[in-house]
Amino acid sequence: MSERILGVLGGMGPLASAQFMLRLTLLTPAQRDQDHIPAVLWSDPRIPDRTAGRLGKGPDPLPWLLRGIHGLLEAGCGAIAIPCNTAHGWFGPMAEAAGVPILHIVDAAAADLQRMGITGGTIGLMGTAATLEMRLYQDRLETQGWHCIEPDPDQMQRLVTPAIASVKANRVAEAYHPLAEVVNSLAARGADAVVLGCTEIPLAIQSGPASELAVPVVDTIDALARSAIAWARGQ
Amino acid sequence: MSERILGVLGGMGPLASAQFMLRLTLLTPAQRDQDHIPAVLWSDPRIPDRTAGRLGKGPDPLPWLLRGIHGLLEAGCGAIAIPCNTAHGWFGPMAEAAGVPILHIVDAAAADLQRMGITGGTIGLMGTAATLEMRLYQDRLETQGWHCIEPDPDQMQRLVTPAIASVKANRVAEAYHPLAEVVNSLAARGADAVVLGCTEIPLAIQSGPASELAVPVVDTIDALARSAIAWARGQ
Protein backbone atom coordinates (compact mmCIF):
# COMPACT_ATOMS: atom_id res chain seq x y z
CA MET A 1 0.00 0.00 0.00
CA SER A 2 1.48 3.32 -1.07
CA GLU A 3 2.02 5.86 1.71
CA ARG A 4 2.86 8.50 -0.87
CA ILE A 5 -0.02 10.74 -1.89
CA LEU A 6 0.21 12.20 -5.38
CA GLY A 7 -1.09 15.71 -5.97
CA VAL A 8 -2.50 16.49 -9.39
CA LEU A 9 -2.90 20.13 -10.37
CA GLY A 10 -5.50 19.89 -13.08
CA GLY A 11 -8.48 21.38 -14.81
CA MET A 12 -6.22 22.60 -17.63
CA GLY A 13 -8.25 21.26 -19.33
CA PRO A 14 -10.53 19.16 -17.13
CA LEU A 15 -10.83 16.35 -19.68
CA ALA A 16 -7.05 15.97 -19.78
CA SER A 17 -6.81 15.75 -16.00
CA ALA A 18 -9.65 13.21 -15.80
CA GLN A 19 -7.87 11.17 -18.48
CA PHE A 20 -4.65 11.48 -16.44
CA MET A 21 -6.45 9.95 -13.42
CA LEU A 22 -7.81 7.15 -15.62
CA ARG A 23 -4.40 6.35 -17.11
CA LEU A 24 -2.69 6.63 -13.71
CA THR A 25 -5.07 3.92 -12.53
CA LEU A 26 -4.86 1.67 -15.59
CA LEU A 27 -1.05 1.83 -15.80
CA THR A 28 -0.64 0.91 -12.09
CA PRO A 29 -0.14 -2.80 -11.44
CA ALA A 30 -2.95 -3.59 -8.98
CA GLN A 31 -5.11 -6.45 -7.80
CA ARG A 32 -7.51 -4.47 -5.61
CA ASP A 33 -8.39 -0.88 -4.67
CA GLN A 34 -5.79 -0.78 -1.92
CA ASP A 35 -2.92 -1.43 -4.43
CA HIS A 36 -3.66 1.83 -6.28
CA ILE A 37 -2.00 5.20 -5.67
CA PRO A 38 -3.68 7.68 -3.30
CA ALA A 39 -4.12 10.95 -5.15
CA VAL A 40 -5.79 14.30 -4.83
CA LEU A 41 -6.85 16.03 -8.04
CA TRP A 42 -7.32 19.77 -7.78
CA SER A 43 -9.30 20.35 -10.97
CA ASP A 44 -9.69 24.09 -11.32
CA PRO A 45 -10.84 25.02 -14.82
CA ARG A 46 -11.17 28.63 -13.65
CA ILE A 47 -7.38 29.00 -13.88
CA PRO A 48 -6.88 31.72 -16.52
CA ASP A 49 -5.82 30.48 -19.95
CA ARG A 50 -2.09 29.80 -19.90
CA THR A 51 -1.46 30.61 -23.56
CA ALA A 52 -3.27 33.96 -23.34
CA GLY A 53 -1.42 34.76 -20.09
CA ARG A 54 1.99 33.96 -21.56
CA LEU A 55 1.35 35.87 -24.79
CA GLY A 56 0.22 38.96 -22.82
CA LYS A 57 -3.40 38.65 -23.94
CA GLY A 58 -4.99 37.63 -20.66
CA PRO A 59 -4.59 37.58 -16.85
CA ASP A 60 -1.63 35.91 -15.16
CA PRO A 61 -2.51 32.32 -14.15
CA LEU A 62 0.29 32.09 -11.56
CA PRO A 63 -1.75 33.13 -8.48
CA TRP A 64 -4.34 30.45 -9.39
CA LEU A 65 -1.64 27.83 -9.95
CA LEU A 66 -0.10 28.63 -6.56
CA ARG A 67 -3.51 28.41 -4.89
CA GLY A 68 -3.92 24.88 -6.30
CA ILE A 69 -0.45 23.88 -5.13
CA HIS A 70 -1.23 25.21 -1.68
CA GLY A 71 -4.45 23.13 -1.61
CA LEU A 72 -2.56 19.98 -2.62
CA LEU A 73 0.07 20.55 0.06
CA GLU A 74 -2.67 21.04 2.67
CA ALA A 75 -4.08 17.68 1.61
CA GLY A 76 -0.74 16.03 2.41
CA CYS A 77 0.57 15.43 -1.12
CA GLY A 78 4.26 14.47 -1.39
CA ALA A 79 4.74 15.29 -5.09
CA ILE A 80 2.77 17.13 -7.75
CA ALA A 81 1.99 16.27 -11.35
CA ILE A 82 0.53 18.90 -13.67
CA PRO A 83 -1.16 17.43 -16.75
CA CYS A 84 -0.92 20.70 -18.70
CA ASN A 85 2.23 21.39 -20.71
CA THR A 86 1.76 25.15 -21.02
CA ALA A 87 1.45 25.52 -17.23
CA HIS A 88 5.08 24.34 -17.04
CA GLY A 89 6.01 27.83 -18.22
CA TRP A 90 5.54 28.76 -14.55
CA PHE A 91 7.52 25.73 -13.30
CA GLY A 92 10.16 27.76 -11.45
CA PRO A 93 7.86 29.75 -9.13
CA MET A 94 5.60 26.72 -8.65
CA ALA A 95 8.52 24.47 -7.66
CA GLU A 96 9.82 27.10 -5.29
CA ALA A 97 6.42 27.48 -3.61
CA ALA A 98 5.75 23.73 -3.47
CA GLY A 99 8.80 22.55 -1.54
CA VAL A 100 7.96 19.01 -2.75
CA PRO A 101 8.93 17.60 -6.17
CA ILE A 102 6.93 18.70 -9.19
CA LEU A 103 7.28 15.98 -11.84
CA HIS A 104 8.26 17.90 -14.99
CA ILE A 105 6.18 16.85 -18.00
CA VAL A 106 9.06 17.42 -20.45
CA ASP A 107 11.30 15.06 -18.46
CA ALA A 108 8.44 12.54 -18.50
CA ALA A 109 8.16 12.88 -22.30
CA ALA A 110 11.94 12.45 -22.66
CA ALA A 111 11.78 9.28 -20.53
CA ASP A 112 8.98 8.00 -22.76
CA LEU A 113 11.06 8.61 -25.91
CA GLN A 114 13.88 6.59 -24.31
CA ARG A 115 11.40 3.85 -23.32
CA MET A 116 10.27 3.69 -26.96
CA GLY A 117 13.89 3.28 -28.09
CA ILE A 118 14.07 6.73 -29.69
CA THR A 119 17.34 7.93 -28.20
CA GLY A 120 18.20 10.67 -30.70
CA GLY A 121 17.32 12.07 -34.12
CA THR A 122 14.59 14.48 -35.12
CA ILE A 123 11.47 14.92 -33.00
CA GLY A 124 8.32 16.70 -34.13
CA LEU A 125 6.89 18.89 -31.43
CA MET A 126 3.22 19.85 -31.14
CA GLY A 127 1.80 22.08 -28.43
CA THR A 128 0.12 25.40 -27.78
CA ALA A 129 1.61 28.50 -29.35
CA ALA A 130 2.85 29.51 -25.89
CA THR A 131 4.54 26.14 -25.21
CA LEU A 132 6.42 26.38 -28.50
CA GLU A 133 7.30 30.05 -28.01
CA MET A 134 8.59 29.46 -24.46
CA ARG A 135 10.83 26.66 -25.86
CA LEU A 136 9.70 24.42 -22.97
CA TYR A 137 10.58 21.31 -24.95
CA GLN A 138 13.25 22.50 -27.35
CA ASP A 139 15.76 23.60 -24.72
CA ARG A 140 15.37 20.47 -22.57
CA LEU A 141 15.31 17.97 -25.45
CA GLU A 142 18.11 19.52 -27.49
CA THR A 143 20.60 19.33 -24.60
CA GLN A 144 19.78 15.61 -24.45
CA GLY A 145 20.61 15.02 -28.10
CA TRP A 146 17.29 15.31 -29.91
CA HIS A 147 16.66 17.84 -32.66
CA CYS A 148 13.18 19.45 -32.58
CA ILE A 149 11.04 20.62 -35.47
CA GLU A 150 7.70 22.41 -35.14
CA PRO A 151 4.55 22.99 -37.20
CA ASP A 152 4.76 26.14 -39.32
CA PRO A 153 2.76 29.23 -38.24
CA ASP A 154 0.00 28.55 -40.77
CA GLN A 155 -0.49 25.00 -39.43
CA MET A 156 -0.57 26.33 -35.87
CA GLN A 157 -3.26 28.88 -36.67
CA ARG A 158 -5.33 26.75 -39.03
CA LEU A 159 -5.03 23.28 -37.46
CA VAL A 160 -3.38 22.97 -34.03
CA THR A 161 -4.86 25.92 -32.11
CA PRO A 162 -8.49 25.33 -33.22
CA ALA A 163 -8.18 21.59 -32.52
CA ILE A 164 -7.01 22.23 -28.94
CA ALA A 165 -10.00 24.56 -28.44
CA SER A 166 -12.35 21.84 -29.79
CA VAL A 167 -11.19 19.36 -27.15
CA LYS A 168 -11.69 21.94 -24.38
CA ALA A 169 -15.28 22.31 -25.68
CA ASN A 170 -15.81 18.51 -25.51
CA ARG A 171 -15.72 18.20 -29.32
CA VAL A 172 -12.95 15.61 -29.22
CA ALA A 173 -13.47 13.50 -32.35
CA GLU A 174 -13.49 16.43 -34.77
CA ALA A 175 -10.01 17.39 -33.61
CA TYR A 176 -8.46 14.13 -34.85
CA HIS A 177 -8.03 14.90 -38.56
CA PRO A 178 -6.40 18.35 -38.27
CA LEU A 179 -3.96 17.03 -35.65
CA ALA A 180 -3.18 13.83 -37.58
CA GLU A 181 -2.44 16.00 -40.62
CA VAL A 182 0.17 17.90 -38.59
CA VAL A 183 1.72 14.69 -37.19
CA ASN A 184 2.14 13.38 -40.72
CA SER A 185 3.46 16.68 -42.04
CA LEU A 186 6.17 16.64 -39.31
CA ALA A 187 6.96 13.02 -40.24
CA ALA A 188 7.28 14.03 -43.91
CA ARG A 189 9.78 16.72 -42.82
CA GLY A 190 11.92 14.05 -41.13
CA ALA A 191 10.54 13.53 -37.61
CA ASP A 192 11.17 10.03 -36.23
CA ALA A 193 8.47 10.57 -33.59
CA VAL A 194 6.10 13.38 -32.56
CA VAL A 195 5.65 14.61 -28.99
CA LEU A 196 2.01 15.55 -28.33
CA GLY A 197 3.11 18.38 -26.02
CA CYS A 198 -0.33 19.66 -25.06
CA THR A 199 -2.53 17.32 -23.03
CA GLU A 200 -5.58 18.03 -25.21
CA ILE A 201 -3.79 16.63 -28.29
CA PRO A 202 -3.51 12.94 -27.23
CA LEU A 203 -7.23 12.94 -26.31
CA ALA A 204 -8.06 13.83 -29.92
CA ILE A 205 -5.41 11.62 -31.51
CA GLN A 206 -6.71 8.59 -29.57
CA SER A 207 -10.22 9.18 -30.87
CA GLY A 208 -9.12 8.24 -34.39
CA PRO A 209 -7.15 5.44 -36.03
CA ALA A 210 -3.50 5.06 -34.96
CA SER A 211 -2.84 3.38 -38.31
CA GLU A 212 -3.14 6.73 -40.12
CA LEU A 213 -0.17 8.18 -38.21
CA ALA A 214 3.14 7.86 -40.05
CA VAL A 215 5.36 7.83 -36.92
CA PRO A 216 5.07 6.94 -33.19
CA VAL A 217 3.70 9.64 -30.90
CA VAL A 218 4.47 10.45 -27.26
CA ASP A 219 1.26 10.85 -25.25
CA THR A 220 2.27 13.36 -22.56
CA ILE A 221 -0.67 12.28 -20.35
CA ASP A 222 0.59 8.68 -20.28
CA ALA A 223 4.21 9.81 -19.95
CA LEU A 224 3.38 11.92 -16.89
CA ALA A 225 1.29 9.06 -15.42
CA ARG A 226 4.27 6.70 -15.77
CA SER A 227 6.50 9.24 -14.09
CA ALA A 228 3.98 9.57 -11.21
CA ILE A 229 3.72 5.79 -10.77
CA ALA A 230 7.53 5.57 -10.60
CA TRP A 231 7.53 8.25 -7.89
CA ALA A 232 4.76 6.55 -5.90
CA ARG A 233 6.65 3.25 -5.99
CA GLY A 234 9.84 4.95 -4.79
CA GLN A 235 11.68 4.41 -8.08
CA MET B 1 -18.10 30.48 -14.48
CA SER B 2 -19.19 28.25 -11.60
CA GLU B 3 -18.32 29.52 -8.14
CA ARG B 4 -19.41 26.21 -6.64
CA ILE B 5 -16.62 23.71 -6.06
CA LEU B 6 -17.64 20.06 -6.17
CA GLY B 7 -15.96 17.62 -3.80
CA VAL B 8 -15.57 14.05 -4.99
CA LEU B 9 -14.82 11.39 -2.42
CA GLY B 10 -13.29 8.68 -4.56
CA GLY B 11 -10.77 5.91 -4.92
CA MET B 12 -13.54 3.36 -4.34
CA GLY B 13 -12.45 2.18 -6.84
CA PRO B 14 -10.02 4.61 -8.44
CA LEU B 15 -11.08 3.73 -11.98
CA ALA B 16 -14.71 4.54 -11.16
CA SER B 17 -13.80 7.93 -9.71
CA ALA B 18 -11.56 8.78 -12.69
CA GLN B 19 -14.45 7.82 -14.98
CA PHE B 20 -16.74 10.02 -12.87
CA MET B 21 -14.42 13.00 -13.50
CA LEU B 22 -14.38 12.20 -17.22
CA ARG B 23 -18.16 11.96 -17.46
CA LEU B 24 -18.65 15.06 -15.28
CA THR B 25 -16.56 16.94 -17.86
CA LEU B 26 -18.15 15.44 -20.97
CA LEU B 27 -21.73 15.92 -19.72
CA THR B 28 -21.13 19.60 -18.85
CA PRO B 29 -22.10 22.05 -21.60
CA ALA B 30 -18.87 23.99 -22.14
CA GLN B 31 -17.04 25.97 -24.80
CA ARG B 32 -13.74 26.44 -22.95
CA ASP B 33 -11.93 25.34 -19.78
CA GLN B 34 -13.49 28.13 -17.74
CA ASP B 35 -17.06 26.86 -18.41
CA HIS B 36 -16.32 23.55 -16.63
CA ILE B 37 -17.02 22.76 -12.97
CA PRO B 38 -14.24 23.28 -10.41
CA ALA B 39 -13.80 20.04 -8.50
CA VAL B 40 -11.50 18.38 -6.02
CA LEU B 41 -11.18 14.61 -6.21
CA TRP B 42 -9.95 12.93 -3.05
CA SER B 43 -9.01 9.56 -4.48
CA ASP B 44 -8.05 7.37 -1.55
CA PRO B 45 -7.89 3.71 -2.57
CA ARG B 46 -6.55 2.91 0.92
CA ILE B 47 -10.08 3.25 2.33
CA PRO B 48 -10.85 -0.21 3.71
CA ASP B 49 -13.15 -2.36 1.57
CA ARG B 50 -16.74 -1.26 2.18
CA THR B 51 -18.29 -4.67 1.57
CA ALA B 52 -15.92 -6.45 3.96
CA GLY B 53 -16.47 -3.71 6.55
CA ARG B 54 -20.26 -3.93 6.34
CA LEU B 55 -20.30 -7.72 6.43
CA GLY B 56 -18.07 -7.75 9.52
CA LYS B 57 -15.11 -9.25 7.65
CA GLY B 58 -12.79 -6.23 7.66
CA PRO B 59 -11.97 -2.88 9.30
CA ASP B 60 -14.51 -0.08 9.51
CA PRO B 61 -14.05 2.35 6.59
CA LEU B 62 -15.90 5.20 8.34
CA PRO B 63 -12.83 6.96 9.84
CA TRP B 64 -11.21 6.98 6.38
CA LEU B 65 -14.39 8.27 4.75
CA LEU B 66 -14.61 11.08 7.30
CA ARG B 67 -10.95 11.97 6.74
CA GLY B 68 -11.70 12.39 3.02
CA ILE B 69 -14.74 14.52 3.73
CA HIS B 70 -12.69 16.70 6.03
CA GLY B 71 -10.06 17.15 3.29
CA LEU B 72 -12.73 18.16 0.76
CA LEU B 73 -14.23 20.68 3.16
CA GLU B 74 -10.77 22.15 3.81
CA ALA B 75 -10.43 22.60 0.04
CA GLY B 76 -13.60 24.70 0.02
CA CYS B 77 -16.05 22.23 -1.54
CA GLY B 78 -19.73 23.14 -1.31
CA ALA B 79 -21.18 19.68 -1.97
CA ILE B 80 -19.84 16.15 -2.12
CA ALA B 81 -20.42 13.33 -4.60
CA ILE B 82 -19.28 9.80 -3.75
CA PRO B 83 -18.96 7.55 -6.81
CA CYS B 84 -19.17 4.36 -4.73
CA ASN B 85 -22.59 2.91 -4.00
CA THR B 86 -21.54 0.75 -1.05
CA ALA B 87 -20.00 3.74 0.75
CA HIS B 88 -23.53 5.15 0.94
CA GLY B 89 -24.10 2.64 3.73
CA TRP B 90 -22.36 5.24 5.90
CA PHE B 91 -24.36 8.16 4.44
CA GLY B 92 -25.86 9.25 7.77
CA PRO B 93 -22.64 9.85 9.70
CA MET B 94 -20.93 11.30 6.61
CA ALA B 95 -23.76 13.79 5.99
CA GLU B 96 -23.74 14.78 9.64
CA ALA B 97 -19.97 15.40 9.58
CA ALA B 98 -20.01 17.20 6.22
CA GLY B 99 -22.48 20.00 6.97
CA VAL B 100 -22.73 20.50 3.18
CA PRO B 101 -24.98 18.45 0.86
CA ILE B 102 -23.86 14.95 -0.06
CA LEU B 103 -25.54 14.07 -3.38
CA HIS B 104 -27.08 10.62 -2.71
CA ILE B 105 -26.29 8.18 -5.50
CA VAL B 106 -29.63 6.35 -5.12
CA ASP B 107 -31.53 9.61 -5.62
CA ALA B 108 -29.36 10.25 -8.69
CA ALA B 109 -30.24 6.79 -10.05
CA ALA B 110 -33.95 7.39 -9.39
CA ALA B 111 -33.75 10.71 -11.27
CA ASP B 112 -32.08 8.88 -14.16
CA LEU B 113 -34.89 6.29 -14.27
CA GLN B 114 -37.41 9.17 -14.46
CA ARG B 115 -35.31 10.86 -17.19
CA MET B 116 -35.43 7.61 -19.17
CA GLY B 117 -39.24 7.52 -18.86
CA ILE B 118 -39.23 4.52 -16.52
CA THR B 119 -41.56 5.83 -13.83
CA GLY B 120 -42.65 2.55 -12.24
CA GLY B 121 -42.62 -1.21 -12.73
CA THR B 122 -39.94 -3.76 -11.94
CA ILE B 123 -36.29 -2.73 -11.68
CA GLY B 124 -33.38 -5.17 -11.61
CA LEU B 125 -30.77 -4.20 -9.07
CA MET B 126 -27.10 -5.10 -9.28
CA GLY B 127 -24.50 -4.12 -6.71
CA THR B 128 -22.10 -5.46 -4.13
CA ALA B 129 -23.38 -8.02 -1.65
CA ALA B 130 -23.25 -5.31 1.01
CA THR B 131 -25.26 -2.79 -1.05
CA LEU B 132 -27.99 -5.37 -1.60
CA GLU B 133 -27.95 -6.55 2.02
CA MET B 134 -28.16 -2.98 3.39
CA ARG B 135 -31.22 -2.39 1.11
CA LEU B 136 -29.68 0.94 0.02
CA TYR B 137 -31.72 0.92 -3.18
CA GLN B 138 -34.72 -1.21 -2.31
CA ASP B 139 -36.03 0.99 0.51
CA ARG B 140 -35.60 4.26 -1.40
CA LEU B 141 -36.92 2.99 -4.75
CA GLU B 142 -39.87 1.03 -3.39
CA THR B 143 -41.31 4.07 -1.58
CA GLN B 144 -41.21 5.84 -4.96
CA GLY B 145 -43.26 3.15 -6.71
CA TRP B 146 -40.66 0.83 -8.24
CA HIS B 147 -40.46 -2.87 -7.39
CA CYS B 148 -36.90 -4.25 -7.09
CA ILE B 149 -35.58 -7.70 -7.95
CA GLU B 150 -32.02 -8.90 -7.33
CA PRO B 151 -29.62 -11.54 -8.68
CA ASP B 152 -29.88 -14.83 -6.80
CA PRO B 153 -27.10 -15.75 -4.34
CA ASP B 154 -25.46 -18.13 -6.82
CA GLN B 155 -25.25 -15.37 -9.46
CA MET B 156 -23.81 -12.98 -6.89
CA GLN B 157 -21.08 -15.40 -5.88
CA ARG B 158 -20.29 -16.80 -9.31
CA LEU B 159 -20.73 -13.71 -11.54
CA VAL B 160 -21.25 -10.30 -9.89
CA THR B 161 -18.71 -10.38 -7.04
CA PRO B 162 -15.79 -11.72 -9.14
CA ALA B 163 -16.59 -9.27 -11.95
CA ILE B 164 -16.42 -6.29 -9.56
CA ALA B 165 -13.05 -7.56 -8.29
CA SER B 166 -11.80 -7.85 -11.91
CA VAL B 167 -12.52 -4.17 -12.59
CA LYS B 168 -10.70 -3.13 -9.41
CA ALA B 169 -7.69 -5.10 -10.73
CA ASN B 170 -7.88 -3.21 -14.10
CA ARG B 171 -9.20 -6.31 -15.89
CA VAL B 172 -12.24 -4.48 -17.20
CA ALA B 173 -13.15 -6.23 -20.46
CA GLU B 174 -13.33 -9.72 -18.94
CA ALA B 175 -16.03 -8.53 -16.55
CA TYR B 176 -18.46 -7.71 -19.38
CA HIS B 177 -19.88 -11.17 -20.11
CA PRO B 178 -20.65 -12.28 -16.53
CA LEU B 179 -22.35 -8.95 -15.81
CA ALA B 180 -24.29 -8.91 -19.11
CA GLU B 181 -25.52 -12.42 -18.25
CA VAL B 182 -26.94 -11.11 -14.98
CA VAL B 183 -28.56 -8.06 -16.67
CA ASN B 184 -30.31 -10.38 -19.11
CA SER B 185 -31.33 -12.82 -16.41
CA LEU B 186 -33.00 -9.99 -14.48
CA ALA B 187 -34.72 -8.89 -17.70
CA ALA B 188 -35.99 -12.44 -18.24
CA ARG B 189 -37.44 -12.32 -14.73
CA GLY B 190 -39.42 -9.19 -15.62
CA ALA B 191 -37.13 -6.20 -15.04
CA ASP B 192 -37.95 -3.20 -17.27
CA ALA B 193 -34.50 -1.73 -16.58
CA VAL B 194 -31.45 -2.64 -14.50
CA VAL B 195 -29.68 -0.27 -12.12
CA LEU B 196 -25.90 -0.84 -12.18
CA GLY B 197 -25.66 -0.03 -8.48
CA CYS B 198 -21.91 -0.47 -8.05
CA THR B 199 -19.67 1.99 -9.92
CA GLU B 200 -17.40 -0.79 -11.17
CA ILE B 201 -20.29 -2.43 -13.07
CA PRO B 202 -20.92 0.31 -15.70
CA LEU B 203 -17.17 0.39 -16.48
CA ALA B 204 -17.37 -3.28 -17.47
CA ILE B 205 -20.74 -3.07 -19.18
CA GLN B 206 -19.50 -0.20 -21.38
CA SER B 207 -16.53 -2.26 -22.51
CA GLY B 208 -18.84 -4.63 -24.43
CA PRO B 209 -21.72 -4.30 -26.88
CA ALA B 210 -24.85 -2.51 -25.63
CA SER B 211 -26.82 -4.46 -28.23
CA GLU B 212 -26.47 -7.67 -26.19
CA LEU B 213 -28.37 -6.16 -23.25
CA ALA B 214 -32.10 -6.96 -23.24
CA VAL B 215 -33.17 -3.85 -21.28
CA PRO B 216 -31.90 -0.28 -20.60
CA VAL B 217 -29.41 0.12 -17.77
CA VAL B 218 -28.83 2.99 -15.34
CA ASP B 219 -25.13 3.91 -15.17
CA THR B 220 -24.74 5.21 -11.61
CA ILE B 221 -21.52 7.05 -12.55
CA ASP B 222 -23.36 9.09 -15.19
CA ALA B 223 -26.41 9.51 -12.96
CA LEU B 224 -24.27 10.96 -10.15
CA ALA B 225 -22.40 13.20 -12.64
CA ARG B 226 -25.75 14.59 -13.89
CA SER B 227 -26.80 15.25 -10.32
CA ALA B 228 -23.49 17.05 -9.64
CA ILE B 229 -23.84 19.21 -12.76
CA ALA B 230 -27.36 20.19 -11.69
CA TRP B 231 -26.00 21.20 -8.28
CA ALA B 232 -23.12 23.22 -9.78
CA ARG B 233 -25.53 25.08 -12.05
CA GLY B 234 -27.80 25.88 -9.10
CA GLN B 235 -30.66 23.68 -10.33
Side-chain angles (χ1 to χ4, degrees):
Chain A
M1 190 187 290
S2 175
E3 290 306 318
R4 296 180 155 202
I5 304 172
L6 177 71
V8 184
L9 182 57
M12 307 175 281
L15 198 60
S17 44
Q19 175 77 1
F20 176 83
M21 297 306 296
L22 208 63
R23 296 298 294 161
L24 178 75
T25 306
L26 288 171
L27 293 170
T28 298
Q31 290 303 317
R32 51 185 198 134
D33 284 356
Q34 291 73 21
D35 297 333
H36 287 278
I37 298 167
V40 178
L41 165 63
W42 185 280
S43 179
D44 194 349
R46 299 168 302 177
I47 298 173
D49 187 82
R50 282 67 60 200
T51 300
R54 178 54 62 174
L55 302 180
K57 296 174 182 165
D60 183 6
L62 183 60
W64 292 77
L65 294 168
L66 294 179
R67 185 176 155 192
I69 285 180
H70 179 74
L72 294 170
L73 295 174
E74 287 281 303
C77 298
I80 293 172
I82 308 175
C84 170
N85 287 272
T86 316
H88 285 71
W90 291 264
F91 187 83
M94 290 194 292
E96 198 176 326
V100 300
I102 299 182
L103 311 172
H104 201 297
I105 201 164
V106 177
D107 294 342
D112 230 34
L113 283 168
Q114 298 282 2
R115 188 184 60 81
M116 292 159 73
I118 301 164
T119 55
T122 300
I123 300 299
L125 178 58
M126 292 168 69
T128 62
T131 293
L132 300 186
E133 189 173 300
M134 290 187 283
R135 298 188 54 82
L136 278 182
Y137 274 85
Q138 296 92 320
D139 290 343
R140 285 192 171 229
L141 294 190
E142 288 175 3
T143 58
Q144 294 178 62
W146 288 288
H147 169 64
C148 295
I149 60 173
E150 302 164 27
D152 64 40
D154 170 68
Q155 288 176 319
M156 285 299 297
Q157 196 178 348
R158 190 171 50 85
L159 302 169
V160 178
T161 302
I164 292 170
S166 288
V167 174
K168 289 180 183 290
N170 290 338
R171 301 190 312 272
V172 177
E174 69 185 63
Y176 172 79
H177 281 293
L179 294 170
E181 180 182 332
V182 178
V183 169
N184 290 339
S185 156
L186 291 164
R189 287 168 52 201
D192 301 310
V194 173
V195 173
L196 308 179
C198 164
T199 50
E200 272 66 44
I201 298 177
L203 296 169
I205 286 291
Q206 278 165 19
S207 74
S211 59
E212 287 188 19
L213 306 176
V215 289
V217 293
V218 171
D219 178 335
T220 50
I221 295 179
D222 278 19
L224 189 62
R226 285 194 184 91
S227 164
I229 293 164
W231 170 79
R233 310 184 101 201
Q235 288 161 0
Chain B
M1 192 187 287
S2 176
E3 289 307 316
R4 296 179 155 202
I5 303 172
L6 177 71
V8 183
L9 182 57
M12 307 175 281
L15 198 60
S17 43
Q19 174 76 2
F20 175 83
M21 297 306 295
L22 208 64
R23 297 297 294 161
L24 178 74
T25 306
L26 288 172
L27 293 170
T28 298
Q31 289 304 315
R32 50 184 199 136
D33 284 358
Q34 291 74 19
D35 296 334
H36 287 279
I37 298 168
V40 178
L41 165 63
W42 184 280
S43 180
D44 194 349
R46 299 168 303 177
I47 298 173
D49 187 83
R50 282 67 60 199
T51 301
R54 179 54 64 174
L55 302 179
K57 294 174 184 165
D60 183 6
L62 183 59
W64 291 77
L65 294 168
L66 294 179
R67 185 176 154 193
I69 285 180
H70 179 72
L72 293 170
L73 295 174
E74 287 281 304
C77 299
I80 292 170
I82 308 175
C84 170
N85 287 270
T86 315
H88 284 71
W90 291 265
F91 186 84
M94 288 193 292
E96 198 176 325
V100 300
I102 299 183
L103 310 173
H104 201 297
I105 202 165
V106 178
D107 294 341
D112 230 35
L113 283 168
Q114 298 282 1
R115 189 184 60 83
M116 292 159 72
I118 301 163
T119 56
T122 300
I123 299 299
L125 179 59
M126 291 168 69
T128 63
T131 293
L132 301 184
E133 190 174 300
M134 290 187 282
R135 298 187 55 79
L136 279 183
Y137 274 85
Q138 298 91 321
D139 291 342
R140 284 190 171 229
L141 294 190
E142 288 176 1
T143 58
Q144 294 176 64
W146 289 287
H147 169 62
C148 295
I149 60 172
E150 302 163 27
D152 65 38
D154 170 67
Q155 289 176 316
M156 284 300 296
Q157 196 177 347
R158 190 170 50 84
L159 302 169
V160 179
T161 303
I164 292 170
S166 288
V167 175
K168 289 181 183 291
N170 290 340
R171 300 191 311 273
V172 177
E174 70 185 62
Y176 172 79
H177 281 293
L179 293 170
E181 180 182 331
V182 178
V183 169
N184 291 339
S185 156
L186 291 163
R189 286 167 53 200
D192 301 309
V194 173
V195 172
L196 308 180
C198 164
T199 49
E200 271 67 45
I201 298 177
L203 296 170
I205 286 292
Q206 279 166 18
S207 74
S211 59
E212 286 187 20
L213 306 176
V215 289
V217 294
V218 171
D219 176 335
T220 50
I221 295 178
D222 277 19
L224 189 62
R226 284 194 185 90
S227 164
I229 293 165
W231 172 79
R233 310 185 100 200
Q235 289 161 0

